[in-house]
Each structure stands twice: as C-alpha cells, then as structure tokens.
Amino acid sequence: MRNFTEDWFWEPMFNKLPVGAVLISLKTEQIVMMNERFCEILGSTRSELLTRKPRELLVLKGLSQKALQRIESFDVANGLQETISFQSADGRAMSITAEFSLLASSANGKEPLILCCIDRAEIKEAPLPMIGQEELLALILKSGQDLISISNADGIIEYISPSATHLLGYRQEEMVGRHRAEFYHSADSEEMKQPGKLFSDSEIFNRRIRHKDGHYLWFETSFHVIRGAEGQITKVLAIARNITKRKIDEDTLARAQRIAKIGSWRWDLVTRTLSFSEEIRRIYGYQLEPIERDHKSLLSAVVTEDRKRLRRAILSAIKGQPDEIIYRIQVEGGTIRTLRAQWEVSARSEGKPIELVGMAQDITEESLIAQQLVENEKKYRLITENSLDFISRNTIDDCTFLYCSPSCYSLLGYNPEELVGTSAFDYVYPEDIGPLKAYLQRTLDETSLTPITFRYLHKDGRHIWFEVNCKFITGQDGHREIISIARDISERKRIEFKLKESEQRYRSLFEYNPLAVYSMNLEGEYLTANPNLQKLTGYSLDELVGMYYGPIVADKDLPRTQYHFNQAKEGNPQSYDLSIIHKDGHPIEINTVNIPIIVDEEVVGVYGITRDITERNRSMEEIKKLSRELTLLLNTVSEGIIGLDINGKVAFINPAGASMLGEDAGDVIGRSCDQIIREIRHDGSFYRGRNSPLEMALLQGKPLLRTEIVLWRRDGTSFLANYQVNPIWDRGERKGAVMVFRDITDEKEIIRAKESAERADQAKTEFLTMMSHELRTPMNGIMGMIDLLKTTDLDEEQANYTDILKESGESLLHILNDILDFSRIETGKMSIGEEPIDVRSLLGSVVDLFNAKASEKGLTLSWSVNEDSVPDVIVADALRLRQVLVNLISNAIKFTEQGSVTLTADAVRRIGTRELTLTIRVTDTGIGIPADRQHQLFLSFSQLHPSLNRKYGGTGLGLAISKKLVELMGGIIGVDSREFGGSTFYFSIPTRAVEPKDTSLTPVEEAYE
C-alpha cells in the first residue's frame, strides 16, 4: 500500500492548513507528519516533535480517559471533539479545541490513521507582577547591552541611554541635540536621507555607527514611532543592539567560501525547496535563485554527459544515502566548470529523510592540472624507457630503488624488477659507498648538484664506472626522493687512469647502520643516537639526547609502546610496529626492535633499532593493486599468454590463449607445453621433446621469437601465428618462462594494404613538395615582372589590373608556402629550435603587423600579458611561435566584421622550477563556429562551408599547420566558440623561464628592434 506521506499532491495542502494538524498511525504508534501551525501551538520544532511518541505530546496528555478509549478502538468515524488545556514548551498557557477523525478503517486492509486538527488556540497570559512605570523604564535604560535613544521626527536626538558611553565612547551630552546621521558611516548616512530610511515601524536596519575613537561598529536597530492625536510623528524610540561580531563572522564565512570556492546548499524534503548560498550561485554563474522550488534548474546547468549520473545520485540522496560526486556544469559563455559535491542526510526517528545539507566546490583548475600531469607523465615515461642512460628514483633514507629504466639490463645485467625494492648501496662498489653517502648527506638541501663518479657492480661481478647526476624532489606524498641519471664512463676511466684496488675500513655499525640505532635509559630518555634517527625524526642529536620518547610517538600508539618498552626493561626483547611524528608534523610508520642492555645480570638501559617501513607498507598496497590489475590485464588482452615453470609445465594461461588453442583453461594447468603448443615442421610433422624450438628455449633460458608459424588447435584446425618466449628471472634465479602468441591469419592482407597506402601517401607528399618548389620559381618571375610593370606609366584601369595581379600572386605564393610547410611536417622534416624569446616584444611585433588591416575594417585590436605569471624571457622556437600567432590573428580579423580582436597571454609555473606552461588566447567577436563543425577546424584542406571559401578565401591549411606546429612544440591547441557569438582560439606549450643574465635577443626579435 502506498504511504500517505508519499503523496506529493496532498502534502503541500496539509502543510498550508490554517489550523494545527497532526497525522498519527495507531498501528505503529508513531507520528507520520505535522504542519507548521501545529508546531507553533506546541512551542516546539518539527524535528523535536517527530522524535516523540503520540502519547508524549502535550496536546494529547490532557485527553480524558473516555476519549483515549474511543481513539484506540477507532471509534471516531463520526468525529471526536474535546477541549484541552495545557502549557506549551515555551511556557505559554494554552486552551485549544481538538477534533479527531479516522482517515482509514482497518477493515478494508489499509493502515488506520488518525487526524487531529486544532481549530482554535487561545493564550492565557500569565499575570505579571505589579511594577511601576518609572522603575521599569529605569531598568530598561540601565541595560548595558542595548543602545536606547529618543529622537524627534527630524532625527535630532533628544535622549540617549547611558550605555552609549560603554558602547560608543560618547557621553550623553555629546550626542543629545545632534542629528542621528552624524554618527553613522557615510554610506549609511546617505541611505538615511532617502524616504522611509531614517526610521521605520516595520523594518529593522543593520548599519555602522562610528565609535568615538574612529572605528565602526555594526548595530541592528528597531524603531517604535509615537504619533499624536492627528497622526503626526511626535517621538521616535530606537533600540539598537551591537552585532559587530556576528557581521564579522558572517563576512569571514562568506570570504572563506569565496577563497576555497566552496558553496553550501540545503534541500528541505518536506517543503521540496532548495536554498543556495551566494558562493554556490556565483559558481553556477547565477543560474540559480537563492530559493528554488525543485532541482530542475540545478540539473539544467549540468553538461549532458554527467546529467544522468547526477540524477541517479540525487535519487539516492532522497532515499537517505550520503554520497560524494564529481560532475561538470556549463555557465554563461560556454565555460565548463568541474565541481565536487558532498552531502549529509537528516532523517526522522523512523528513518525517513527530511533534509539534505551539502556543499559544492569548484575544482576546475585542479582537474585541468591533473589531466596535464597525466599527459606529461606519459611523455616522461617514453623518454626514460628509451634512454641509453640508467635513470632511477630512490628513497633518501636508504637509497632504495623506486623505479629503474630498462637500460639497467644492458648496463648492469639486472632487470628492473630485480632492482626495484632493493637499496642502491647493495650494487655500489664497497669502496665507493662511504663517499656516495657523504655526498648525498652533504648536498641534501641543495637544489643543483655537481655530478659524482663511482662504481656499480655488474651482475657478473665486474665493476663499471658511472657518472651520476642527482636531484632531490618532493613527491606528492610529501616525502623527498632522489632522481638520478647514470652514464657509463668505464672506457673514459680506463683511458684516464689504471684502476687501483684499495681497502677501506668499515665504519662502526652504530654510526653507519642504514637503520636508526640509539640507546635509552630506564626512564625512556635518549642517551645516544645515530644520524639515521636524526633524519628519521627530524630532531638533531643535541635535541634528542635527554629527550623522553613519548612526545615523538603518535598518541594512538603510545600505550602499546610503553608496554613493549616496559617488557624490554624486564629483559624481554621486543619487536613491534608503530607511528611516530616527525618534527615538522608528518607521521612516519616504523618498525622498532627494543633490546635490553644487561650489565652484571642487571638491565641498565634499552637499545633501539628502528627502520622506516612507510614505503614498505605503501609498496605492499601497490603490489596488491598491481596484482589485481595484472589479473585484469591477463583476462582482457587479445594475445594468448602462457606461463611455464622451469620444467616446461603450464602454470597459467589467459582466456584469449585458451580460446585460440581450443582448450579449457582449467584443464591445461600442469600439462607439458608440447601437449598444448602443437607446432609443425616444414615437412608437416609435429615438433616433439628437445627437437622443439620452444623446449630448447626453456632449457637454455634464452629468449625466442618465432614468426609466421603454424599452430594446431585441439579440434585439429590450424592457424598462422607469431609467438615470443622470454625467461622469467627472480633475483638472478630462473623460474620459468612466459610465452605470448597471437593469431595473424587475417593480418597478412591488412599489412599489404597498409604498405600500399603508405607508399601512395609518400608519393603524394613528394609530388606536393616537388610541385610547390617548381611552381614557386615561375611565380617569383611573375611577381618580379608585376613589380616592374607597376614602375611604368599606366592609366588608372591598367594600374587597377596590375594591383589585382599583385594581390592574386601573393595569395598564390601564400598557398604554396602553406603546402611546403605542410609537406615538411608530414614528412617529418620540420624541426623545432630553442632560443631565448622576449615574450612581450614578440607579441607586440605580431600585433603591429595587423594594426593597419584591423583599422581598415574598423576593428579594435589589442593585446595583454599577465604580468604576475608570464616571465620576460622564455625558451621556445620564435619563428614557429610567431607563425602560429600570425595564422590565428589573421583568421580572427578575416572572420570578424565588427567588434574587436584580443590577444592575451598567461602562464602556470611549476613550483620550485623554471618550467611553466604558456597559454595564449586569441578572442574575436566574429561569426563564430557551430558546435557540430568545430571538429573540422584543424583538419588539412578543410573548409566549414563552400560559401565561406568563396567569401574569405584560403586553403584550409592554416589551422592544420598551426595544430601540427603546436604539437611539435609539445603543446595542445583548441577552440571555444558558438555560432554568431565569437570565438576563442587558444594553445598551450611547455617552456621554461630564463634569468635576466642568461637572456639574449633572438634573431627574429633583433630584426624588429
């Protein structure tokens, strides 16, 4: 049966009844709903009353026993009326008439509901004790909390309460006789001159009053106007209360929300209204009113792709589920903003939600930065994985490898998997460990380090000299790391000098132990500590000696730490994990071993050995995550993958491999590989045992690549395949091999078609390049002869013809240049240089080129640079950057008939480095671009419409060339536009700032000096 309270048609009518009403379920003995008038009569809030049982309500406690019996037996079909007297929650004496009605009978199978309506409520005033008017007035005027004044109709103060001295610093005689507006802020004084604003019987004013010492205080003022017999105003009584602290709190909250870009909202599920804070309305571009009757306006601003997901979240919220969601909205102008929303649910005692309170934060910038970081990470990974140098990331404390580039195999004989998780010191030549540690310790706080040379141990035992450049960085988790690039200089070392063997004494375990080692007395105070404990805790040796360990231990682990320490004091060694607090405030997870110090069979102290396990715990989580991801990858890749143990038995097979071989994945585990991989010789017989190339590769532990071989399925059918076998090594020990194979039966024809298409494309590119070069030679002759012709005596008609020839020739030359640029880019012959560029000079010179053209069309052409973020000099290719700017500005002026064209430059700098991302925007008020055609803009030889080509000309190569040039510079290009609403073309490129002492003008800039 549908619940009565879920009927949205009747609930608003119920809430607006002029009498107090409450709906009670006698079956569950709960209050189902009540209106606001009922809450007013009882002097309590709705949320408070909904938590009570019906018998606990004051209005029902006064019912007679007979009335209660009738209600409980549902004998109110014809109505029941009774007069009840009670005292409300706020102390008022009430007398009401209550009428009870039965809404449903239990006989028809519906839940019986009792409706109680209060159609009359009288308040019996409690008698006040007698007090004289003079005593009452004196009591009010002596109040130090309010400022009480009496003025005439013109605002002249005739009386001010003594509290003025305490609140404003003025004596009474200093204010009496003066106009009230003299003491207010100038803006409020001007407002008070308006009709009805000096005082009001119905309005309460919040205004600023000047203290005698000059500062202003906020006061909330209410008025009582005293009128004469003929209705004229004789006196005005004003009572003002100091609300300065409240105003400061409100302003601070609003300012904090603006700074954090966080807005708040509230959804009353009873009245179905949503209220929004000023900040959230600003975030939505003021598309929302302060009060909305439903959530349709909120959903209309959400982008189409996210609207369904947000609607599901709203439905879940209405059902009482707190949640968090990230979605995008579109504000005026087409700007897309990304928001993070969270909310909490308030519910009745029976669990039905009645209110949602939440927040929304603008995280647009964070989302863009995160996306850029992902793209940069892909580029960096491509560089590191293909570099011939050994690139690695290491922890600071024990130099553990966090990442190793693939070149470590060719340089050191180790796979990256063998090195990651182990300390670099394990592979350093013993004599070089000390100098390397000292070097890292000495340069820990420096940003730029000189290279260091030392020897790494190859897997086969020989040592190799490396020159290493190191840099310390701070990761996202706040921990510092070492980035190093190592280059093999063994040959150079052999030429420079003959290696000499030397011995080096080991330092004491206490001083040079990679773990933190220390000793404590029986009170838990540090006596000695090695440098690693200092690095681990952030405290110096002087600070540690004599310090009790308690303040360093996290509060949650202090009782357990004290227990283990006491056990060690009793002679029992202890090992346990805990968290400590670094001196700068961040937590560190450690493992500690406490060993009793025993002298003459008596415990005199405790040794401690501590190691940082933060990375280990994080690595374990990463391993679990990687395991899940690898399983998912194995199950989803299209290639067949088979894992083989050292004996050639199948250890695992992915679904794609089992399907290609016609096998059941569960049946092949443990079977020999030659029973699963049935490969035939050229004579048609199957390979068996040691004759099989696969079997030989497994026995020898060598990689194997086989192409275009025939494999047979279990059902007797065959397919053409490529497969590769690689041995699996674990810390130098061969564990088996992995085989990857794929069906290439359908690929041969595709490859032939691809090669044919590539040859055709190459021929087209070479033809375009050749024809462009060949056409430029006669065109140069034509342009020269036109220039000579213009120097002869021509009549007006001939001169006009000559100008048309000149303009057409220049247009043809521009098209030829575009085709040549496009051909060079297509063939990979376009190179990007790096040189110092004066950004402002470059932008100014480009704008100067188009000033005459803009003036000719009556357009406003302007440019600006963000002085706070854009440096004076950057490193880039000035010629190609200028070419992109010329294309964009030329297009903007071409397609703009009236209005303006604006060029702006901004930048985002990577903290702590010279690296930055430069963003340049060209904004016009032209014809705009329809959304469904914007994807054609950057395609070669593409025009949005033939009519545009006829009107404005062009080849459609300008934007295509600009896109490819920006991408060659490592950037991105895009457009924001709407039809007939103007366009903004923008591009961003990575670059770096140049210090003033390093700057020099580029050849391009020198030409414009």
Side-chain angles (χ1 to χ4, degrees):
M1 182 185 71
R2 183 168 61 118
N3 194 301
F4 181 80
T5 57
E6 295 177 357
D7 193 331
W8 302 107
F9 177 76
W10 292 106
E11 187 169 346
M13 297 180 59
F14 182 86
N15 287 328
K16 297 183 181 298
L17 287 175
V19 298
V22 59
L23 192 64
I24 301 169
S25 170
L26 292 184
K27 180 179 180 180
T28 60
E29 294 189 355
Q30 287 184 337
I31 299 172
V32 178
M33 62 187 301
M34 62 184 65
N35 64 0
E36 291 296 333
R37 179 57 180 156
F38 184 81
C39 300
E40 292 175 4
I41 293 174
L42 267 67
S44 300
T45 63
R46 184 195 300 265
S47 58
E48 180 183 357
L49 293 174
L50 286 172
T51 60
R52 300 181 183 177
K53 293 291 185 181
R55 294 177 181 273
E56 298 175 355
L57 296 179
L58 296 173
V59 70
L60 300 181
K61 284 185 177 181
L63 285 174
S64 64
Q65 189 64 30
K66 182 179 179 181
L68 284 173
Q69 291 176 352
R70 287 186 60 187
I71 291 173
E72 291 175 352
S73 61
F74 311 124
D75 186 18
V76 288
N78 298 322
L80 171 63
Q81 189 176 81
E82 187 159 321
T83 300
I84 305 170
S85 298
F86 65 95
Q87 188 174 16
S88 67
D90 53 8
R92 297 172 296 163
M94 307 293 294
S95 178
I96 58 122
T97 298
E99 183 172 348
F100 297 87
S101 302
L102 181 65
L103 296 188
S105 172
S106 58
N108 56 19
K110 296 183 179 180
E111 180 181 350
L113 300 173
I114 298 294
L115 175 66
C116 173
C117 292
I118 303 173
D119 60 358
R120 182 170 59 89
E122 297 179 353
I123 303 175
K124 297 181 179 180
E125 298 289 347
L128 294 173
M130 297 300 295
I131 185 171
Q133 293 185 0
E134 295 182 359
E135 291 84 351
L136 184 59
L137 179 60
L139 179 62
I140 295 173
L141 295 182
K142 287 181 181 180
S143 171
Q145 301 298 320
D146 297 332
L147 185 66
I148 303 174
S149 65
I150 300 175
S151 57
N152 60 21
D154 296 327
I156 303 301
I157 299 173
E158 297 180 350
Y159 172 81
I160 191 76
S161 63
S163 59
T165 303
H166 169 67
L167 294 172
L168 300 175
Y170 295 100
R171 298 191 306 275
Q172 289 176 280
E173 56 269 21
E174 291 181 282
M175 300 185 70
V176 172
R178 297 169 65 180
H179 196 279
R180 294 176 56 244
E182 295 182 29
F183 299 96
Y184 285 82
H185 190 278
S186 57
D188 296 331
S189 298
E190 288 299 319
E191 182 187 8
M192 294 168 70
K193 295 177 183 179
Q194 300 176 13
K197 294 298 182 179
L198 181 60
F199 50 79
S200 172
D201 256 337
S202 59
E203 192 173 356
I204 296 176
F205 296 126
N206 292 336
R207 289 170 175 163
R208 292 158 288 184
I209 302 179
R210 183 179 63 256
H211 194 277
K212 188 175 183 179
D213 62 11
H215 71 274
Y216 288 91
L217 300 172
W218 281 94
F219 279 84
E220 181 181 76
T221 307
S222 58
F223 302 88
H224 179 69
V225 180
I226 302 174
R227 303 180 185 274
E230 298 179 358
Q232 75 279 11
I233 299 174
T234 58
K235 303 291 181 185
V236 177
L237 174 65
I239 301 177
R241 172 157 295 181
N242 187 350
I243 61 169
T244 304
K245 184 179 183 305
R246 189 183 78 191
K247 287 290 292 183
I248 292 174
D249 292 343
E250 292 174 353
D251 293 344
T252 300
L253 177 59
R255 190 176 297 111
Q257 288 189 347
R258 285 196 302 272
I259 293 172
K261 297 181 180 180
I262 296 177
S264 59
W265 53 269
R266 177 181 175 272
W267 192 353
D268 189 334
L269 297 178
V270 177
T271 61
R272 296 292 162 185
T273 59
L274 290 92
S275 55
F276 300 97
S277 68
E278 178 65 20
E279 179 60 18
I280 202 168
R281 294 182 63 227
R282 188 197 66 76
I283 293 174
Y284 272 79
Y286 294 97
Q287 300 179 70
L288 302 174
E289 297 297 326
I291 302 295
E292 294 280 357
R293 301 303 303 176
D294 53 44
H295 58 280
K296 293 181 180 178
S297 298
L298 184 144
L299 281 175
S300 65
V302 179
V303 299
T304 306
E305 296 83 355
D306 296 349
R307 195 171 296 165
K308 185 176 181 181
R309 185 164 51 87
L310 181 59
R311 185 179 288 110
R312 287 199 303 266
I314 290 174
L315 294 175
S316 177
I318 294 175
K319 295 178 181 178
Q321 297 294 327
D323 204 347
E324 175 180 340
I325 187 172
I326 295 177
Y327 62 95
R328 294 164 297 167
I329 62 172
Q330 183 172 12
V331 298
E332 186 176 355
T335 302
I336 301 296
R337 292 178 179 169
T338 303
L339 307 185
R340 178 191 289 115
Q342 295 176 284
W343 58 84
E344 291 185 353
V345 182
S346 298
R348 295 174 175 166
S349 59
E350 69 272 16
K352 180 179 179 180
I354 60 174
E355 179 185 64
L356 300 177
V357 176
M359 55 75 72
Q361 182 178 16
D362 186 349
I363 59 170
T364 305
E365 295 181 3
E366 294 87 335
S367 299
L368 293 176
I369 292 173
Q371 182 180 357
Q372 189 66 37
L373 287 175
V374 171
E375 294 177 359
N376 290 340
E377 183 178 355
K378 293 180 180 177
K379 297 175 184 176
Y380 296 150
R381 184 173 293 276
L382 182 64
I383 293 172
T384 57
E385 291 183 352
N386 291 279
S387 173
L388 297 178
D389 295 334
F390 178 28
I391 303 173
S392 65
R393 287 174 43 232
N394 303 76
T395 62
I396 288 180
D397 50 2
D398 56 0
C399 220
T400 299
F401 284 113
L402 302 176
Y403 168 80
C404 297
S405 63
S407 61
C408 65
Y409 180 78
S410 59
L411 293 173
L412 297 175
Y414 293 99
N415 289 310
E417 295 80 6
E418 298 178 77
L419 296 179
V420 172
T422 63
S423 174
F425 297 128
D426 296 340
Y427 308 94
V428 176
Y429 195 76
E431 293 181 4
D432 297 341
I433 293 177
L436 178 59
K437 287 185 176 180
Y439 165 80
L440 294 175
Q441 180 65 31
R442 182 175 65 257
T443 56
L444 182 61
D445 296 325
E446 298 182 20
T447 56
S448 180
L449 309 180
T450 57
I452 182 175
T453 59
F454 60 88
R455 288 161 289 184
Y456 265 123
L457 291 174
H458 194 276
K459 190 173 185 179
D460 59 14
R462 56 192 172 92
H463 62 261
I464 302 174
W465 279 97
F466 279 89
E467 181 179 75
V468 182
N469 285 283
C470 298
K471 183 177 181 181
F472 290 92
I473 64 170
T474 301
Q476 294 182 351
D477 56 0
H479 288 79
R480 299 189 69 186
E481 299 175 354
I482 305 172
I483 298 295
S484 64
I485 302 176
R487 176 163 295 176
D488 185 352
I489 59 169
S490 300
E491 187 63 28
R492 190 179 79 189
K493 278 293 183 180
R494 279 191 291 269
I495 296 173
E496 291 177 354
F497 60 91
K498 183 181 179 181
L499 290 175
K500 296 181 180 180
E501 295 182 355
S502 64
E503 295 183 357
Q504 186 179 34
R505 295 184 179 180
Y506 288 101
R507 300 291 180 92
S508 66
L509 176 63
F510 188 83
E511 289 295 331
Y512 291 97
N513 194 307
L515 306 178
V517 182
Y518 51 91
S519 63
M520 295 182 290
N521 60 22
L522 296 179
E523 284 71 39
E525 298 171 342
Y526 291 102
L527 300 177
T528 57
N530 71 344
N532 284 323
L533 183 64
Q534 301 174 47
K535 289 194 296 182
L536 187 65
T537 62
Y539 294 93
S540 66
L541 181 61
D542 292 336
E543 292 175 308
L544 286 171
V545 173
M547 178 191 292
Y548 171 59
Y549 69 77
I552 300 179
V553 178
D555 292 341
K556 65 182 181 64
D557 293 330
L558 186 57
R560 187 158 54 89
T561 303
Q562 290 172 337
Y563 168 78
H564 289 294
F565 182 77
N566 291 332
Q567 287 293 309
K569 285 167 54 176
E570 295 177 5
N572 303 315
Q574 302 290 306
S575 176
Y576 53 97
D577 296 342
L578 70 150
S579 296
I580 63 173
I581 306 301
H582 192 274
K583 185 178 180 180
D584 62 12
H586 72 268
I588 302 174
E589 298 177 16
I590 63 171
N591 172 264
T592 291
V593 176
N594 286 340
I595 304 172
I597 304 174
I598 302 175
V599 177
D600 295 334
E601 299 182 355
E602 181 181 355
V603 178
V604 297
V606 175
Y607 275 123
I609 302 175
T610 295
R611 60 191 178 100
D612 188 347
I613 61 172
T614 305
E615 290 299 327
R616 186 193 72 182
N617 292 346
R618 186 177 294 111
S619 297
M620 291 300 294
E621 291 299 323
E622 287 296 327
I623 290 172
K624 293 178 181 177
K625 179 182 177 184
L626 285 174
S627 177
R628 292 191 295 270
E629 292 175 351
L630 287 174
T631 301
L632 181 62
L633 286 173
L634 288 174
N635 290 336
T636 56
V637 295
S638 59
E639 288 83 1
I641 302 174
I642 299 177
L644 304 171
D645 63 18
I646 195 68
N647 299 314
K649 303 291 185 181
V650 177
F652 70 86
I653 185 170
N654 71 335
S659 176
M660 273 190 275
L661 295 173
E663 299 280 357
D664 184 87
D667 292 341
V668 301
I669 304 300
R671 292 168 62 185
S672 178
C673 62
D674 62 356
Q675 297 178 14
I676 306 301
I677 307 299
R678 291 178 284 274
E679 179 182 352
I680 63 170
R681 296 186 179 93
H682 293 294
D683 60 4
S685 62
F686 288 100
Y687 282 110
R688 293 294 181 187
R690 295 182 180 271
N691 294 326
S692 168
L694 174 60
E695 187 77 16
M696 292 299 296
L698 290 174
L699 293 176
Q700 297 174 7
K702 294 181 179 180
L704 172 66
L705 175 63
R706 299 274 287 167
T707 60
E708 298 186 15
I709 55 92
V710 177
L711 295 181
W712 290 78
R713 301 184 181 91
R714 186 176 184 178
D715 60 5
T717 60
S718 63
F719 62 95
L720 195 62
N722 291 344
Y723 74 78
Q724 183 174 0
V725 179
N726 288 302
I728 300 174
W729 297 89
D730 183 11
R731 300 183 180 272
E733 182 181 356
R734 188 161 57 88
K735 297 293 186 181
V738 63
M739 175 183 179
V740 179
F741 63 97
R742 61 190 178 93
D743 187 345
I744 62 168
T745 306
D746 298 329
E747 290 185 7
K748 301 298 291 182
E749 195 65 33
I750 295 174
I751 292 174
R752 284 193 290 271
K754 173 180 177 292
E755 292 172 349
S756 176
E758 288 175 346
R759 288 194 296 272
D761 185 66
Q762 180 67 23
K764 179 205 72 174
T765 302
E766 293 175 356
F767 173 76
L768 284 176
T769 303
M770 180 187 70
M771 290 302 298
S772 298
H773 279 290
E774 293 299 326
L775 288 173
R776 288 182 66 179
T777 301
M779 277 305 304
N780 287 331
I782 292 172
M783 295 301 295
M785 296 306 298
I786 292 174
D787 289 336
L788 290 176
L789 181 62
K790 292 184 68 174
T791 60
T792 63
D793 294 332
L794 303 172
D795 58 30
E796 182 177 354
E797 185 177 8
Q798 291 172 331
N800 184 38
Y801 292 161
T802 306
D803 290 338
I804 294 173
L805 284 173
K806 176 75 171 178
E807 183 177 350
S808 299
E810 290 176 346
S811 177
L812 184 54
L813 271 179
H814 179 71
I815 293 172
L816 290 174
N817 288 333
D818 279 351
I819 294 175
L820 279 175
D821 283 344
F822 187 76
S823 297
R824 282 198 295 269
I825 294 173
E826 286 289 301
T827 56
K829 296 180 180 179
M830 178 71 73
S831 60
I832 299 298
E834 288 192 353
E835 55 188 331
I837 301 174
D838 186 326
V839 179
R840 290 157 181 80
S841 297
L842 178 62
L843 297 183
S845 66
V846 173
V847 171
D848 290 342
L849 289 176
F850 295 94
N851 278 332
K853 184 66 176 179
S855 299
E856 180 182 335
K857 297 188 69 173
L859 304 176
T860 301
L861 178 60
S862 61
W863 66 283
S864 63
V865 176
N866 189 330
E867 300 294 340
D868 295 331
S869 63
V870 179
D872 293 333
V873 181
I874 64 172
V875 174
D877 190 324
L879 183 62
R880 300 308 172 191
L881 185 58
R882 179 184 178 84
Q883 184 175 356
V884 174
L885 289 172
V886 168
N887 278 338
L888 296 183
I889 296 177
S890 174
N891 280 351
I893 293 177
K894 180 191 297 184
F895 296 105
T896 302
E897 300 300 330
Q898 60 182 2
S900 63
V901 176
T902 304
L903 173 67
T904 60
D906 200 351
V908 177
R909 186 184 290 260
R910 181 177 294 176
I911 298 174
T913 69
R914 297 183 184 178
E915 297 180 0
L916 54 90
T917 299
L918 177 68
T919 300
I920 296 180
R921 294 178 172 84
V922 177
T923 303
D924 62 61
T925 59
I927 61 176
I929 305 162
D932 60 346
R933 296 185 179 179
Q934 292 181 11
H935 67 281
Q936 304 176 22
L937 283 176
F938 299 102
L939 300 178
S940 55
F941 303 103
S942 173
Q943 291 283 357
L944 296 185
H945 196 277
S947 62
L948 295 179
N949 191 19
R950 291 193 297 270
K951 181 176 181 181
Y952 297 104
T955 63
L957 282 178
L959 288 179
I961 292 174
S962 297
K963 180 177 185 294
K964 292 184 178 294
L965 289 176
V966 170
E967 290 175 347
L968 283 175
M969 289 185 282
I972 58 174
I973 190 169
V975 63
D976 290 328
S977 180
R978 58 175 180 169
E979 191 171 9
F980 310 117
S983 304
T984 296
F985 284 83
Y986 60 87
F987 65 92
S988 299
I989 59 171
T991 181
R992 66 180 185 273
V994 180
E995 295 297 332
K997 63 182 180 180
D998 298 331
T999 61
S1000 60
L1001 290 176
T1002 68
V1004 175
E1005 293 165 338
E1006 289 177 351
Y1008 285 91
E1009 282 296 312

